[in-house]
Amino acid sequence: VLLADDDQFQRFYYQTLFQKSLDFESIAIEKKDFRFELFKSGEELMTNYKDNKNCSCEHPLMIILDYNMGKGKLSGIETALSLRKAGFRGIILLRTSETEDYLKENHEDLEEILERKDVNEILGKNNHIETKSRIQEIMKKLFGKT
C-alpha cells in the first residue's frame, strides 16, 4: 500500500492504522508480509511508483491519497490521474476534509473520474472509524477473505 499525505498527523494516523489497528487475522495475509510506504506528496509517490514499476518487485495493490497536498503540489485527483496514465490498475482511495460540493466545483469532471474508477472511492478525513472499516473491507477483498 502506498500513501501520500502532506499532513504529519495524518501520516502518523496511517502508521497507527496499518501497524496496530487493522485486524490482520481477518485478512488472508500475515502482518509480517504486509508493507506500506508513506510519502509527503503526490510527486514523491509518483517517483516511487515509477521506480518500482520498472523493477521486478511487487506492485502496490492500493494507493491512498490526500486530496489537498499543499499549494503548488499535485492534488490527490491529479496524482490519481497520473497513476492511471502510468498504468496503475489497483484501487485508489481519496481522503479529504472537503465537501462533495467543493470537490464538484473544483473538478467539473469528478463524476466521470469516479465512473471511470480513476478514483475508486472518496473517504472523509473526519470519520476515522469509517476509513478504518473501508480499508479493512477492501483489504479482505484484495487478499481473498470476505
Side-chain angles (χ1 to χ4, degrees):
V1 174
L2 302 179
L3 305 110
D5 199 310
D6 64 322
D7 184 320
Q8 184 176 350
F9 173 77
Q10 291 298 322
R11 290 192 307 272
F12 177 74
Y13 164 76
Y14 289 124
Q15 282 183 307
T16 303
L17 176 70
F18 287 107
Q19 291 175 343
K20 298 178 182 175
S21 294
L22 288 180
D23 177 14
F24 279 90
E25 288 182 17
S26 71
I27 302 170
I29 186 172
E30 294 289 323
K31 187 174 182 178
K32 65 178 178 57
D33 296 328
F34 177 75
R35 223 181 78 215
F36 70 96
E37 291 184 61
L38 298 166
F39 302 94
K40 295 178 185 176
S41 69
E43 289 85 353
E44 282 184 17
L45 185 142
M46 285 301 303
T47 298
N48 177 276
Y49 175 75
K50 288 177 181 176
D51 288 348
N52 284 330
K53 184 180 175 191
N54 295 325
C55 73
S56 60
C57 39
E58 292 187 35
H59 298 292
L61 298 171
M62 178 170 47
I63 295 177
I64 303 172
L65 303 167
D66 179 24
Y67 170 70
N68 184 355
M69 289 189 261
K71 189 172 181 154
K73 300 285 186 179
L74 288 175
S75 73
I77 289 177
E78 293 165 332
T79 304
L81 295 174
S82 294
L83 285 161
R84 295 299 188 205
K85 190 174 181 178
F88 180 69
R89 299 288 172 244
I91 292 174
I92 297 178
L93 301 178
L94 183 73
R95 285 191 72 222
T96 184
S97 303
E98 306 298 346
T99 65
E100 189 174 330
D101 288 339
Y102 177 89
L103 293 174
K104 286 179 180 178
E105 284 176 26
N106 287 282
H107 300 280
E108 293 177 3
D109 57 346
L110 182 65
E111 293 297 325
E112 188 177 322
I113 288 169
L114 293 169
E115 284 177 26
R116 284 192 317 251
K117 300 289 186 196
D118 290 333
V119 171
N120 296 85
E121 194 169 334
I122 299 174
L123 299 172
K125 277 191 173 182
N126 57 350
N127 192 335
H128 297 291
I129 294 170
E130 178 187 348
T131 296
K132 177 184 171 183
S133 174
R134 287 299 300 135
I135 289 172
Q136 185 84 33
E137 289 172 26
I138 290 166
M139 288 181 64
K140 283 180 185 179
K141 287 179 184 176
L142 287 173
F143 296 108
K145 200 168 187 180
T146 55

